[in-house]
Amino acid sequence: MDRERVMEERGEAELVSIPATPHASTTPEVLTPSGQRSPRAAKSWTPTSLISPRFLSPIGIPMKRALVNMKSYLEEVGHLTNLNPQDAWLPITESRNGNAHYAAFHNLNAGVGFQALLLPVAFSYLGWSWGIISLTIAYFWQLYTLWILVKLHEAVPGKRYNRYVELAQAAFGERLGNWLALFPTAYLSAGTATALILIGGETMKLFFQIVCGPLCSSNPLTTVEWYLVFTSLCIVLSQLPNLNSIAGLSLIGAVTAITYSTMVWVLSVSQPRPPSISYEPIKSPSFSASAFSVLNALGIIAFAFRGHNVAVEIQATMPSTFKHPAHVPMWRGAKVAYFFIAMCLFPIAIGGFWAYGNLMPPGGILNALYGFHIHDIPRAVLATTFLLVVFNCLSSFQIYSMPVFDSFEAGYTSRTNRPCSIWVRSGFRIFYGFISFFIGVAFPFLSSIAGLMGGLTLPVTFAYPCFMWVLIKKPPRFSFSWYLNWTLGVLGTAFSLAFSVGGIWSMVTNGLKLKFFKPS
């Protein structure tokens, strides 16, 4: 009996040391254009874990090997997501080694930007009470819809919706989903990129004027030339291959956003307020004009919470298994990001309105700081604030442009059945950068129509996720979840139409162009 037990244990030891056959490996790794490898799945518990060498000891050694190899294969294949081979070639899904830290950086970079500087403008039309109420409701509403998108990313077993449009197609049907989601997401990405060029170029010009002062040459660069300088910097940074590779830029964008947001409202509230300040909402000559102004102000608040069009894409950069699903690190990073977003947006809106009231210029708190206190604040402090805004705009341009780059390369790879070469990839990004530049030069008022952009893209953040939850998760009819999501979805759609009308009215009445507030 002792001899048999020794032989049995020796046979188990030999069996454990036997390497898995090639058929038990994970999906083949594909070398991507950036030199990285496609995702590799990790092991997780499955019912086949019950098949152990000790359990199979009475069976012959060849049968043991076959069954254990089958166990290894089932453990690997049992939790694999059906991956599209093309995903290994595209910027969104080329690298899947993201984590909660990357999610926090990306969400914070996408959630705080130049649109936050316009919040005091909305308060000047809404007043204290309605301004704070509207901002609070919008914050928690978009946080709920972000949670929905995180949960729906892998709502169907064996399927990952790696892009917002894919999730819309799963919910509304391929044709209707593409029609509903493609325009607002593309408009939000391209419109934001163009507005960032305008804001970034104008801020660079002001930074140069502050630093140079009276020593500036008699022939400084024009505003359009500063747009071109900023666009060139954006194109250089856009050569980073995929979404994970810009995590460092997103970290820079997140840090600069928090820093300049804090500096702007602290500097504003620390200076003497203008003598003629008033906190009464700006009056319009007619009731209809007042109504449109309020709608445009609400559209500005809605635009301050854009960023959901890249949330699904951010989650797509993370590995996912049964044991470690991607929604866990994504939601952990998103919660941290939106805590800091609240710490940026609410003080800017409240502190900016307290400092300037209804004297707030159309360009927002940064323009008010430059216009009212350029002679009161040290030039070094003011220049640092403007430089941080430039860095943030450069970083935000990358994350908002990545879905557009992904679309370009998806069209190319689907036609050629091969990944983009580095030259094709660079050509797409150079083309996109200069197209955004030419649109900004042709329509320079894009930086002033935040209300219209907020209205047109509001369904992406506030309405579509609620409809998607009902159509994909199918909660019980007339349940609380069913009522809540249908109500929020319908309200979001109605607000989108109303805010768009208010944005168009404001764009027309304000002369279609925003200029920086100049000091007297």
Side-chain angles (χ1 to χ4, degrees):
M1 293 297 293
D2 294 339
R3 180 182 180 185
E4 292 178 357
R5 184 167 60 253
V6 170
M7 294 298 293
E8 177 181 327
E9 294 175 352
R10 181 179 301 173
E12 292 176 4
E14 293 175 354
L15 179 61
V16 172
S17 65
I18 295 174
T21 64
H23 297 288
S25 62
T26 58
T27 50
E29 294 184 342
V30 181
L31 192 64
T32 61
S34 61
Q36 297 177 340
R37 295 188 178 274
S38 59
R40 184 181 180 90
K43 288 188 177 183
S44 62
W45 183 90
T46 67
T48 59
S49 300
L50 296 174
I51 305 176
S52 66
R54 184 172 296 278
F55 176 76
L56 298 172
S57 59
I59 307 177
I61 295 300
M63 183 63 70
K64 288 182 186 179
R65 295 177 179 174
L67 289 177
V68 172
N69 287 338
M70 178 63 71
K71 167 202 167 187
S72 176
Y73 177 77
L74 291 175
E75 283 181 337
E76 295 291 343
V77 176
H79 68 267
L80 285 179
T81 301
N82 296 324
L83 297 176
N84 182 354
Q86 187 186 9
D87 280 347
W89 301 337
L90 301 180
I92 298 296
T93 49
E94 185 180 75
S95 172
R96 289 190 190 267
N97 46 356
N99 51 46
H101 298 91
Y102 286 12
F105 301 157
H106 289 317
N107 279 288
L108 188 51
N109 187 28
V112 179
F114 72 92
Q115 77 283 357
L117 303 175
L118 300 174
L119 287 174
V121 179
F123 272 51
S124 65
Y125 289 96
L126 298 174
W128 280 118
S129 299
W130 286 110
I132 294 175
I133 291 173
S134 302
L135 187 62
T136 304
I137 292 175
Y139 176 79
F140 286 104
W141 190 346
Q142 58 84 36
L143 194 60
Y144 169 68
T145 55
L146 177 65
W147 176 83
I148 288 178
L149 292 177
V150 171
K151 289 295 185 180
L152 291 182
H153 179 79
E154 295 172 288
V156 178
K159 173 68 176 176
R160 293 185 70 176
Y161 299 110
N162 296 317
R163 295 158 185 86
Y164 194 100
V165 175
E166 293 178 8
L167 187 58
Q169 289 174 338
F172 305 116
E174 185 172 354
R175 180 174 299 179
L176 181 60
N178 187 68
W179 183 81
L180 288 176
L182 187 59
F183 169 74
T185 54
Y187 177 75
L188 184 55
S189 294
T192 301
T194 303
L196 285 168
I197 289 176
L198 300 179
I199 296 295
E202 291 171 343
T203 307
M204 289 181 72
K205 179 181 178 181
L206 289 177
F207 170 77
F208 181 77
Q209 292 175 353
I210 294 171
V211 172
C212 188
L215 301 178
C216 290
S217 62
S218 57
N219 296 316
L221 294 179
T222 64
T223 303
V224 174
E225 290 171 338
W226 280 113
Y227 293 162
L228 183 60
V229 171
F230 184 84
T231 303
S232 301
L233 293 175
C234 289
I235 291 174
V236 171
L237 293 176
S238 69
Q239 301 309 311
L240 293 171
N242 54 59
L243 190 54
N244 269 338
S245 66
I246 66 170
L249 285 178
S250 290
L251 174 59
I252 294 174
V255 172
T256 54
I258 296 172
T259 305
Y260 83 70
S261 298
T262 304
M263 290 180 66
V264 164
W265 73 262
V266 169
L267 290 174
S268 295
V269 300
S270 64
Q271 299 297 322
R273 288 179 290 177
S276 57
I277 190 174
S278 173
Y279 298 112
E280 291 294 325
I282 297 176
K283 301 296 183 181
S284 299
S286 64
F287 174 79
S288 59
S290 298
F292 285 133
S293 297
V294 169
L295 292 176
N296 182 64
L298 293 173
I300 292 175
I301 291 178
F303 183 59
F305 293 106
R306 91 267 192 272
H308 282 30
N309 65 311
V310 294
V312 178
E313 285 79 355
I314 293 171
Q315 191 170 347
T317 64
M318 301 178 184
S320 184
T321 65
F322 281 156
K323 188 175 181 180
H324 302 287
H327 70 82
V328 175
M330 176 64 183
W331 183 239
R332 188 183 304 125
K335 287 188 293 185
V336 173
Y338 276 84
F339 170 79
F340 285 105
I341 288 173
M343 295 298 100
C344 293
L345 300 188
F346 282 88
I348 285 181
I350 298 173
F353 186 57
W354 181 88
Y356 306 108
N358 56 17
L359 298 178
M360 179 67 60
I365 189 173
L366 192 64
N367 296 342
L369 187 67
Y370 180 82
F372 287 107
H373 303 300
I374 187 174
H375 302 298
D376 304 324
I377 299 174
R379 287 198 326 181
V381 175
L382 201 59
T384 301
T385 305
F386 281 76
L387 185 61
L388 292 173
V389 174
V390 173
F391 286 158
N392 177 255
C393 290
L394 287 170
S395 303
S396 297
F397 182 92
Q398 307 307 319
I399 192 168
Y400 271 94
S401 300
M402 198 58 71
V404 181
F405 299 156
D406 188 85
S407 299
F408 285 163
E409 296 186 30
Y412 176 86
T413 56
S414 62
R415 287 176 173 82
T416 62
N417 197 29
R418 62 182 180 184
C420 292
S421 66
I422 188 173
W423 299 109
V424 173
R425 173 171 282 181
S426 297
F428 281 144
R429 301 182 182 200
I430 293 172
F431 170 78
Y432 172 75
F434 282 110
I435 283 295
S436 300
F437 164 75
F438 286 122
I439 294 175
V441 173
F443 304 100
F445 56 84
L446 278 178
S447 61
S448 68
I449 56 172
L452 178 59
M453 292 184 69
L456 291 177
T457 60
L458 184 144
V460 173
T461 301
F462 295 98
Y464 289 165
C466 301
F467 293 137
M468 292 173 183
W469 182 266
V470 173
L471 295 174
I472 294 177
K473 285 294 189 178
K474 295 180 171 43
R477 193 177 179 86
F478 305 123
S479 64
F480 175 77
S481 177
W482 188 88
Y483 274 118
L484 175 64
N485 287 285
W486 271 113
T487 302
L488 294 179
V490 172
L491 285 176
T493 305
F495 287 156
S496 174
L497 297 175
F499 297 170
S500 299
V501 173
I504 293 173
W505 176 88
S506 177
M507 183 182 67
V508 173
T509 56
N510 290 332
L512 305 180
K513 187 173 182 179
L514 171 67
K515 294 183 178 180
F516 269 75
F517 183 77
K518 302 295 183 180
S520 56

